[in-house]
Amino acid sequence: MFQPDLFAAAPCVRPDAASPAPALDLPAVLDRLSATCERPRYSFMVLQLIAQASDRTGWAGPWIEREGRRLLVRDWLSEALSPVARRDPRRLGLAARARADLEKAGTLPADPSAAQAAIEAEVQHRIRLSGRTNVSRAVSELVRAGLVRRHYQGFRVDHHNRGAQRHAVYAVTEEARRALQPSG
């Protein structure tokens, strides 16, 4: 009476609870990032840098020590990612605005080389500030994707105001760490 559909898709069989979930690999990480992040490439770079900065337990922060400097993890990530913006046309506009703001404040040195150094320092400061915001957004997306965990350390850790002199600490999840490790 009823003939089975020979072209129907195979029924989806749910694995039982005892079978382990498939291991996350690099293509799966990229797929998850593309599904959950506005800027998956940037988020992947942030994930890679957090994994690089983390100790063997996967935790990075609140301080990172590199080249004799001690920086907050967000500042370190922002500085590490700043070369990506080097060719951005908006950076030229940022330099022009920095020059105008320094001239308006009367703090631009008269010496051309000193003025150029002051402008470059101001540009770096502004890039770091915007970079911190970009890093925070990317980390929030990585947390949402289940690849990173975040908590805060510092003064008044359990305070309801997250900005109460507390610093971010990031941890790459174990499955993401395994996926990011080079195979071989």
Side-chain angles (χ1 to χ4, degrees):
M1 175 130 136
F2 293 103
Q3 181 175 2
D5 187 357
L6 299 175
F7 300 104
C12 189
V13 179
R14 291 182 51 196
D16 60 339
S19 67
L24 191 67
D25 59 355
L26 194 55
V29 168
L30 295 173
D31 184 51
R32 191 181 295 184
L33 289 174
S34 66
T36 59
C37 298
E38 283 184 34
R39 299 187 305 171
R41 292 181 191 132
Y42 187 84
S43 296
F44 182 71
M45 287 188 287
V46 170
L47 178 64
Q48 282 285 114
L49 286 169
I50 292 170
Q52 176 188 335
S54 66
D55 56 17
R56 60 187 177 337
T57 62
W59 292 96
W63 299 97
I64 302 290
E65 293 194 33
R66 294 285 195 266
E67 301 169 4
R69 292 178 38 200
R70 188 172 185 227
L71 293 170
L72 290 170
V73 67
R74 281 192 337 170
D75 289 339
W76 180 79
L77 288 167
S78 176
E79 277 190 14
L81 291 164
S82 67
V84 174
R86 190 169 289 141
R87 294 184 356 180
D88 191 348
R90 291 177 291 187
R91 186 173 175 133
L92 297 174
L94 183 61
R97 287 191 304 276
R99 174 184 282 282
D101 291 345
L102 289 172
E103 286 174 346
K104 184 177 178 182
T107 57
L108 188 66
D111 178 44
S113 62
Q116 187 60 32
I119 292 168
E120 186 58 33
E122 181 63 21
V123 167
Q124 284 296 86
H125 174 72
R126 292 179 184 195
I127 287 174
R128 179 186 275 182
L129 290 178
S130 67
R132 286 175 56 109
T133 301
N134 292 336
V135 165
S136 290
R137 271 193 203 118
V139 169
S140 293
E141 291 176 339
L142 291 169
V143 168
R144 213 173 18 254
L147 300 171
V148 169
R149 290 188 308 275
R150 169 180 46 204
H151 77 272
Y152 297 89
Q153 286 182 354
F155 181 73
R156 304 243 352 212
V157 173
D158 58 351
H159 193 267
H160 70 278
N161 176 9
R162 293 187 340 180
Q165 296 180 3
R166 298 171 356 155
H167 305 296
V169 178
Y170 306 130
V172 178
T173 62
E174 187 60 36
E175 69 174 350
R177 287 178 66 208
R178 281 193 306 266
L180 294 173
Q181 289 176 349
S183 59

